Amino acid sequence: MKLLFFFILLVFSTVGYSQKDSVYTYNYLSKSTKFAWTTFGGDFLLLGNGNTRFTENGINQKIDFQQTLTPRLTIGGIHFWGHADFYVTFPLNFLSLQKKPDALEDLNYQQGIETGFKIYPLPLKVGRVSPYVGASFRMLNFTQQAKNSPFEYGVNYQKMIYPLQAGVSYTSNRYIYSIGVSYQNIDEIKTFINPSVNSVVQFNTVSLQVGITRYIDADRNMRTRASVEQENLKHEILEKENKLSCWYWGVGPSAGLQLSESSFLRENFPHLNRDFIGGFMPDITFGRFFSKPDMNVGISYRTLGSTLRGFDDKITVRRHSFMVESYKNLFNWLGFVPFAGVTASIENLQVNVNGQQYSDTKPAVGFIFGWDIRVTKTGTNLLRTNLRWSPNLTLPIENEEMMFDHLEFNFIQWVQFIGRKKTYRKYQS
């Protein structure tokens, strides 16, 4: 609680530095361009061991499984002058190393896309070792199949978990080296040996991460007197050419996290029932920025799919979302620009249950919120974070419901403003 209070105090302690975007001073640019850095790199995640059950000759037996080592790619951003790291990691599960128990045909223990944050009470600084604490959410994925099984698929279980983290980071001139541990909030799951026999899988709750990320201070060249003059000149040019308001396009990776349990699975396929269905998806957007009210109106397209397998059952889920979104930038705090708004969409929802297709196209309303890293309004591009949610989005199937109420987390989206580069080139001598 003390750490949370420190973080909130840090966020609001310098709110007096906020400035109007139409006038840029050296003090503003010097402070705001140090607010955030972009990071990319990778790490290794070492998951703990555990044990599971299987049936051999009609006897239920317990068997141990070993640790899993998985390489992961990481993209993120350091915020609040080195005090916070927001990130998303994408596991390369096809490169995971885990020894399968000899008694089983297959065993696969992995964890999926992770989104989280780290808080550094002692901020990241070149030559410094900084401890951190944090939290995240990621998907636990466990699959096993017995030898000589009469079923086509092994049992597969997925669950969203919320690990707590602690560790240290060292910052060099270009890289951040980190080592830490995570403690996940569950130590066992209930699953199935066959469609009618329950089982329990137990996990070591502690995992280890070792990683390296490259950080880029893309705005460092703006911390000069000449840059201040240039940014003000750019503002005058855009104002003269009526280009402060302009069109934009954007693209980035996103993750969709289902928030509710599906009654259709619970009642008809309990061995496939889970409180998480989601995955990775592209997020494509196009719209217009309106400078005077400081808001955006745009359209976006995302598509999300998932496959559930267990024994002789296979269910595929697909969502196509065509969305109109309108959101207002709330304030500019040294280049950190949060926004909030509403969405309206046409949703195409599809579920295939062992070859039987169910689908519907329906309207939906929702919410969008997030933030831009936008030091000035004169840039040709920026980085955006989007979170979207369409509550109560469902597909009725046989008097039950399949849920599609995903929380969509698009951590880093590249946004390009159309025509600004061409406008600036007109004034180059």
Side-chain angles (χ1 to χ4, degrees), residues 50-71:
N51 62 75
T52 185
R53 276 79 172 169
F54 74 105
T55 300
E56 185 176 50
N57 300 322
I59 301 175
N60 192 339
Q61 302 185 50
K62 184 168 78 171
I63 189 171
D64 295 330
F65 57 85
Q66 297 184 8
Q67 298 168 318
T68 304
L69 181 66
T70 302

Side-chain angles (χ1 to χ4, degrees), residues 67-315:
Q67 298 168 318
T68 304
L69 181 66
T70 302
R72 306 188 299 176
L73 300 178
T74 301
I75 57 176
I78 306 298
H79 292 63
F80 304 111
W81 303 280
H83 280 283
D85 178 12
F86 298 93
Y87 67 88
V88 59
T89 64
F90 304 93
L92 305 178
N93 286 325
F94 63 96
L95 297 176
S96 293
L97 299 177
Q98 181 185 37
K99 185 178 179 181
K100 174 181 64 67
D102 293 336
L104 296 177
E105 182 68 29
D106 184 36
L107 185 144
N108 192 352
Y109 172 38
Q110 298 173 337
Q111 295 192 0
I113 295 172
E114 177 178 15
T115 300
F117 67 90
K118 301 173 184 176
I119 297 176
Y120 292 90
L122 190 64
L124 296 170
K125 183 179 179 181
V126 173
R128 173 184 286 174
V129 176
S130 302
Y132 68 81
V133 295
S136 67
F137 54 88
R138 66 191 186 209
M139 179 183 66
L140 182 153
N141 190 339
F142 182 84
T143 303
Q144 78 174 61
Q145 184 161 9
K147 288 185 175 180
N148 304 314
S149 172
F151 303 106
E152 182 175 0
Y153 309 111
V155 62
N156 176 261
Y157 186 92
Q158 292 180 321
K159 182 177 180 63
M160 187 57 59
I161 60 174
Y162 310 96
L164 301 177
Q165 306 177 46
V168 295
S169 297
Y170 173 77
T171 306
S172 72
N173 288 327
R174 295 185 178 182
Y175 299 95
I176 301 172
Y177 305 86
S178 299
I179 182 170
V181 295
S182 295
Y183 176 80
Q184 65 188 42
N185 59 305
I186 64 168
D187 60 2
E188 67 178 31
I189 58 173
K190 294 181 180 180
T191 182
F192 289 78
I193 294 177
N194 62 54
S196 59
V197 178
N198 294 91
S199 181
V200 174
V201 181
Q202 295 178 319
F203 303 100
N204 186 323
T205 56
V206 177
S207 59
L208 174 69
Q209 301 91 37
V210 179
I212 176 174
T213 56
R214 173 78 160 91
Y215 67 90
I216 300 175
D217 184 2
D219 297 323
R220 63 186 181 277
N221 293 328
M222 297 174 66
R223 299 174 200 137
T224 65
R225 299 290 179 181
S227 294
V228 176
E229 295 177 4
Q230 185 180 49
E231 292 305 315
N232 283 305
L233 178 60
K234 286 181 178 179
H235 190 278
E236 291 179 12
I237 291 172
L238 294 180
E239 195 169 39
K240 176 182 177 181
E241 297 284 337
N242 197 26
K243 294 290 187 180
L244 282 172
S245 298
C246 63
W247 298 97
Y248 65 84
W249 61 266
V251 63
S254 188
L257 311 172
Q258 180 182 307
L259 298 183
S260 303
E261 182 186 53
S262 295
S263 63
F264 173 73
L265 295 179
R266 183 184 65 240
E267 299 299 324
N268 298 282
F269 299 92
H271 54 287
L272 297 181
N273 186 33
R274 59 189 66 164
D275 59 3
F276 171 85
I277 298 176
F280 173 78
M281 59 182 166
D283 185 342
I284 303 170
T285 186
F286 175 82
R288 186 164 180 84
F289 168 65
F290 296 92
S291 178
K292 189 172 182 178
D294 203 6
M295 64 178 295
N296 292 280
V297 177
I299 58 175
S300 68
Y301 169 73
R302 291 98 52 236
T303 180
L304 173 65
S306 186
T307 300
L308 317 178
R309 293 187 181 91
F311 307 119
D312 289 333
D313 296 310
K314 178 180 178 181
I315 298 178

Side-chain angles (χ1 to χ4, degrees), residues 16-32:
Y17 284 101
S18 296
Q19 306 218 359
K20 294 182 179 180
D21 285 47
S22 58
V23 178
Y24 306 119
T25 66
Y26 176 79
N27 181 57
Y28 170 74
L29 288 181
S30 179
K31 186 75 174 179
S32 60

